[in-house]
Amino acid sequence: MTLDLLSRRGILGVFAATTVTAAPVMANAFGFLRGAGDMRRIRMYSGRTGESLDTVYWVDGKYVREALNEINIFMRDWRTGEVIGIDPRTVDVAAASHRLLQTNEPYMMLSGYRSPRTNAMLRRSSSGVARNSLHMVGKAADLRLKSRSVGQMYNAAMSCRAGGVGKYSRSNFVHMDCGPVRTWGG
């Protein structure tokens, strides 16, 4: 995203900020992040496509449409190329969890949006893929960090109490979504 997409105030905030803050928009948003800043940022890369994303997607109480469009394309079904709108609350959960982990390392995104065809294919080869996965409606992401354990990521996402969190220790990733608050995995 280019800086000309932000307001003058937003640009000044980018340069003046000592930390970039991410917080979810859900009613039960984490109290410890409220009022902590006026920007939200997400950093990810995809080992599947070789692409990376580093964008401020929320400034001064508003989502940045161009940044959300970038996120939609980045989180597309890499197998089919299909793009849908990713629910910004999913990005909020991931960004807030990332902030809690206090790392500058970008997430490795293993899976964002999954088309129904891709989800069905994955279900045939793995018992861990839900029939009605929130991935199919742009409300989930499977993420990994080299510098943090699955347990650390799981605990950070779980402490947000803003959606579903799944721990996949054997596969070394954490599922985060903006659905009902629930946890699973081992």
Side-chain angles (χ1 to χ4, degrees):
M1 179 172 86
T2 60
L3 289 178
D4 60 326
L5 298 175
L6 300 174
S7 68
R8 178 176 167 79
R9 183 173 174 209
I11 292 170
L12 293 174
V14 169
F15 293 113
T18 56
T19 61
V20 176
T21 302
V25 296
M26 285 66 83
N28 63 342
F30 347 137
F32 54 85
L33 289 178
R34 283 179 218 233
D38 62 356
M39 294 184 310
R40 297 178 191 166
R41 177 183 183 190
I42 191 72
R43 292 184 312 264
M44 295 186 280
Y45 72 95
S46 170
R48 310 276 191 199
T49 66
E51 297 168 334
S52 61
L53 175 76
D54 185 357
T55 191
V56 173
Y57 67 93
W58 189 88
V59 176
D60 291 335
K62 295 179 183 163
Y63 288 104
V64 178
R65 172 56 34 209
E66 294 83 0
L68 293 179
N69 290 340
E70 241 184 292
I71 291 167
N72 294 341
I73 292 167
F74 178 83
M75 292 182 73
R76 72 190 177 278
D77 183 330
W78 64 270
R79 290 172 177 90
T80 67
E82 292 175 58
V83 176
I84 68 164
I86 300 298
D87 191 317
R89 296 173 304 164
T90 298
V91 183
D92 288 338
V93 171
S97 299
H98 194 260
R99 180 177 178 271
L100 289 172
L101 291 163
Q102 299 180 344
T103 181
N104 288 320
E105 175 193 352
Y107 282 121
M108 172 189 263
M109 186 193 67
L110 303 173
S111 185
Y113 168 65
R114 280 191 219 138
S115 68
R117 190 172 86 214
T118 295
N119 201 70
M121 181 269 300
L122 292 172
R123 275 186 54 74
R124 287 191 295 274
S125 62
S126 173
S127 62
V129 177
R131 178 183 311 277
N132 296 312
S133 172
L134 290 177
H135 286 278
M136 295 190 301
V137 290
K139 293 184 180 220
D142 294 338
L143 303 167
R144 175 185 294 160
L145 287 169
K146 291 179 187 172
S147 65
R148 299 294 185 266
S149 71
V150 169
Q152 289 170 317
M153 289 179 61
Y154 175 82
N155 288 336
M158 194 175 60
S159 72
C160 295
R161 301 185 50 79
V165 183
K167 181 166 136 182
Y168 294 87
S169 298
R170 281 191 236 153
S171 300
N172 190 28
F173 74 87
V174 172
H175 168 99
M176 298 178 198
D177 68 50
C178 65
V181 175
R182 66 214 187 285
T183 61
W184 66 92

